[in-house]
Amino acid sequence: MKPMQQNTSLKIVYTDDDVDDRFFFSNALSEIPIENHLTILNDGEQLMHYLHNNYKDIPDILFLDLSMPRKTGIECLFEIKENELLKNINVVMLSTSYKLDIVYENSIIESLLNIGAQGYIRKQSNLEELKKSIQNELIKVVTKKSFNI
Protein backbone atom coordinates (compact mmCIF):
# COMPACT_ATOMS: atom_id res chain seq x y z
CA MET A 1 0.00 0.00 0.00
CA LYS A 2 1.17 3.51 -0.77
CA PRO A 3 1.54 5.65 2.37
CA MET A 4 -0.85 8.56 2.80
CA GLN A 5 0.78 11.96 2.16
CA GLN A 6 1.85 13.51 5.47
CA ASN A 7 4.66 15.64 6.83
CA THR A 8 6.12 13.24 9.39
CA SER A 9 5.59 9.82 10.83
CA LEU A 10 2.80 9.64 13.42
CA LYS A 11 3.97 8.68 16.89
CA ILE A 12 1.49 6.11 18.15
CA VAL A 13 1.29 4.50 21.56
CA TYR A 14 -0.92 1.47 22.12
CA THR A 15 -1.50 0.31 25.69
CA ASP A 16 -3.24 -2.99 26.40
CA ASP A 17 -2.65 -5.79 28.90
CA ASP A 18 -3.79 -8.52 26.47
CA VAL A 19 -0.95 -9.95 24.35
CA ASP A 20 -3.34 -11.18 21.63
CA ASP A 21 -4.97 -7.75 21.33
CA ARG A 22 -1.53 -6.10 21.09
CA PHE A 23 -0.55 -8.49 18.29
CA PHE A 24 -3.86 -7.99 16.45
CA PHE A 25 -3.61 -4.18 16.74
CA SER A 26 0.00 -4.18 15.51
CA ASN A 27 -0.93 -6.32 12.51
CA ALA A 28 -3.88 -4.10 11.62
CA LEU A 29 -1.74 -0.96 11.92
CA SER A 30 0.99 -2.43 9.70
CA GLU A 31 -1.54 -2.66 6.86
CA ILE A 32 -2.64 0.99 7.09
CA PRO A 33 -0.96 3.31 4.55
CA ILE A 34 0.02 5.97 7.08
CA GLU A 35 3.65 6.23 8.11
CA ASN A 36 3.97 5.65 11.84
CA HIS A 37 6.17 4.69 14.73
CA LEU A 38 4.38 2.38 17.19
CA THR A 39 5.24 2.00 20.86
CA ILE A 40 3.40 -0.78 22.68
CA LEU A 41 2.95 -0.73 26.44
CA ASN A 42 1.45 -3.39 28.71
CA ASP A 43 -0.57 -1.47 31.31
CA GLY A 44 -1.68 1.92 32.57
CA GLU A 45 1.15 2.32 35.08
CA GLN A 46 3.70 1.64 32.38
CA LEU A 47 1.93 4.16 30.12
CA MET A 48 1.91 6.96 32.68
CA HIS A 49 5.58 6.32 33.50
CA TYR A 50 6.38 6.45 29.76
CA LEU A 51 4.45 9.71 29.25
CA HIS A 52 6.02 11.41 32.27
CA ASN A 53 9.49 10.47 31.04
CA ASN A 54 8.81 11.61 27.46
CA TYR A 55 7.18 15.04 27.85
CA LYS A 56 9.24 16.43 24.98
CA ASP A 57 8.27 13.60 22.63
CA ILE A 58 4.62 12.86 23.40
CA PRO A 59 2.67 10.67 20.98
CA ASP A 60 0.39 12.10 18.33
CA ILE A 61 -2.22 9.54 19.28
CA LEU A 62 -2.71 7.07 22.08
CA PHE A 63 -4.87 3.97 21.75
CA LEU A 64 -5.79 2.91 25.26
CA ASP A 65 -7.56 -0.22 26.51
CA LEU A 66 -10.36 0.60 28.91
CA SER A 67 -9.99 -2.34 31.27
CA MET A 68 -6.50 -3.14 32.56
CA PRO A 69 -5.05 -4.22 35.90
CA ARG A 70 -2.89 -1.88 38.01
CA LYS A 71 -4.28 1.29 36.38
CA THR A 72 -7.35 1.34 34.14
CA GLY A 73 -7.70 3.22 30.90
CA ILE A 74 -10.20 5.58 32.53
CA GLU A 75 -7.72 6.42 35.31
CA CYS A 76 -5.06 7.13 32.68
CA LEU A 77 -7.47 9.25 30.62
CA PHE A 78 -8.26 11.39 33.68
CA GLU A 79 -4.55 11.82 34.48
CA ILE A 80 -3.70 12.73 30.89
CA LYS A 81 -6.49 15.28 30.51
CA GLU A 82 -5.69 16.92 33.87
CA ASN A 83 -1.99 17.34 33.00
CA GLU A 84 -1.11 20.56 31.13
CA LEU A 85 1.75 18.85 29.28
CA LEU A 86 -0.29 15.83 28.20
CA LYS A 87 -3.85 17.06 27.83
CA ASN A 88 -3.60 17.61 24.06
CA ILE A 89 -2.73 14.00 23.27
CA ASN A 90 -5.40 12.45 21.06
CA VAL A 91 -6.70 9.51 23.09
CA VAL A 92 -8.81 6.74 21.59
CA MET A 93 -10.28 4.24 24.02
CA LEU A 94 -10.69 0.58 23.09
CA SER A 95 -12.82 -2.04 24.73
CA THR A 96 -14.65 -5.24 24.08
CA SER A 97 -18.30 -4.65 23.33
CA TYR A 98 -21.10 -4.83 25.85
CA LYS A 99 -23.34 -6.96 23.62
CA LEU A 100 -25.84 -7.56 26.36
CA ASP A 101 -26.39 -3.88 27.10
CA ILE A 102 -25.91 -1.34 24.28
CA VAL A 103 -27.40 1.43 26.45
CA TYR A 104 -24.68 0.81 29.06
CA GLU A 105 -21.97 0.81 26.38
CA ASN A 106 -23.31 4.07 24.90
CA SER A 107 -23.28 5.72 28.33
CA ILE A 108 -19.65 4.65 28.81
CA ILE A 109 -18.72 6.03 25.40
CA GLU A 110 -20.45 9.34 26.17
CA SER A 111 -18.61 9.57 29.50
CA LEU A 112 -15.24 8.88 27.84
CA LEU A 113 -15.86 11.57 25.24
CA ASN A 114 -16.90 14.02 27.97
CA ILE A 115 -13.64 13.33 29.85
CA GLY A 116 -11.70 14.14 26.70
CA ALA A 117 -11.26 11.00 24.60
CA GLN A 118 -11.14 11.66 20.85
CA GLY A 119 -12.89 8.40 20.07
CA TYR A 120 -13.88 4.90 21.04
CA ILE A 121 -13.20 1.68 19.18
CA ARG A 122 -14.97 -1.56 19.96
CA LYS A 123 -12.33 -4.27 19.74
CA GLN A 124 -12.95 -6.28 16.61
CA SER A 125 -12.25 -9.92 15.89
CA ASN A 126 -12.26 -8.98 12.20
CA LEU A 127 -8.95 -7.54 11.00
CA GLU A 128 -10.53 -5.43 8.24
CA GLU A 129 -13.00 -3.80 10.64
CA LEU A 130 -10.27 -3.05 13.17
CA LYS A 131 -8.06 -1.65 10.42
CA LYS A 132 -10.87 0.64 9.24
CA SER A 133 -11.52 1.89 12.80
CA ILE A 134 -7.84 2.59 13.47
CA GLN A 135 -7.36 4.29 10.10
CA ASN A 136 -10.36 6.58 10.70
CA GLU A 137 -8.82 7.77 13.98
CA LEU A 138 -5.39 8.25 12.39
CA ILE A 139 -6.86 10.31 9.55
CA LYS A 140 -8.35 12.68 12.14
CA VAL A 141 -4.88 13.21 13.61
CA VAL A 142 -3.20 13.62 10.21
CA THR A 143 -5.84 16.20 9.29
CA LYS A 144 -5.30 18.11 12.55
CA LYS A 145 -1.52 18.09 12.01
CA SER A 146 -1.87 19.22 8.39
CA PHE A 147 -3.99 22.20 9.38
CA ASN A 148 -2.28 22.79 12.74
CA ILE A 149 -5.59 22.45 14.54
Side-chain angles (χ1 to χ4, degrees), residues 80-91:
I80 290 166
K81 295 305 173 180
E82 290 176 347
N83 184 311
E84 284 299 314
L85 298 173
L86 302 175
K87 71 179 184 181
N88 292 321
I89 297 174
N90 299 291
V91 180

Side-chain angles (χ1 to χ4, degrees), residues 24-144:
F24 199 52
F25 182 93
S26 180
N27 282 346
L29 183 62
S30 71
E31 294 186 18
I32 295 173
I34 296 176
E35 189 178 327
N36 69 79
H37 172 76
L38 176 63
T39 299
I40 296 177
L41 302 169
N42 300 324
D43 62 53
E45 282 187 4
Q46 191 178 50
L47 168 67
M48 296 314 298
H49 180 74
Y50 173 85
L51 292 175
H52 289 296
N53 287 320
N54 290 285
Y55 277 127
K56 295 183 192 282
D57 193 34
I58 60 173
D60 295 301
I61 188 166
L62 165 62
F63 291 90
L64 180 58
D65 183 33
L66 189 61
S67 179
M68 295 180 289
R70 299 177 69 193
K71 187 173 281 201
T72 69
I74 293 175
E75 291 171 316
C76 292
L77 180 61
F78 271 116
E79 275 187 55
I80 290 166
K81 295 305 173 180
E82 290 176 347
N83 184 311
E84 284 299 314
L85 298 173
L86 302 175
K87 71 179 184 181
N88 292 321
I89 297 174
N90 299 291
V91 180
V92 177
M93 305 301 293
L94 291 99
S95 186
T96 53
S97 66
Y98 298 93
K99 294 177 184 176
L100 299 177
D101 194 346
I102 193 70
V103 173
Y104 178 70
E105 181 178 30
N106 286 337
S107 71
I108 288 176
I109 294 168
E110 185 177 335
S111 295
L112 294 170
L113 296 175
N114 287 335
I115 295 167
Q118 167 183 300
Y120 174 87
I121 295 176
R122 182 179 295 123
K123 289 183 181 178
Q124 306 287 333
S125 58
N126 176 303
L127 184 64
E128 288 304 313
E129 287 299 314
L130 179 61
K131 212 165 63 173
K132 184 189 320 179
S133 296
I134 295 169
Q135 185 166 347
N136 288 340
E137 296 299 334
L138 295 179
I139 288 170
K140 290 178 192 176
V141 174
V142 169
T143 302
K144 278 184 187 179

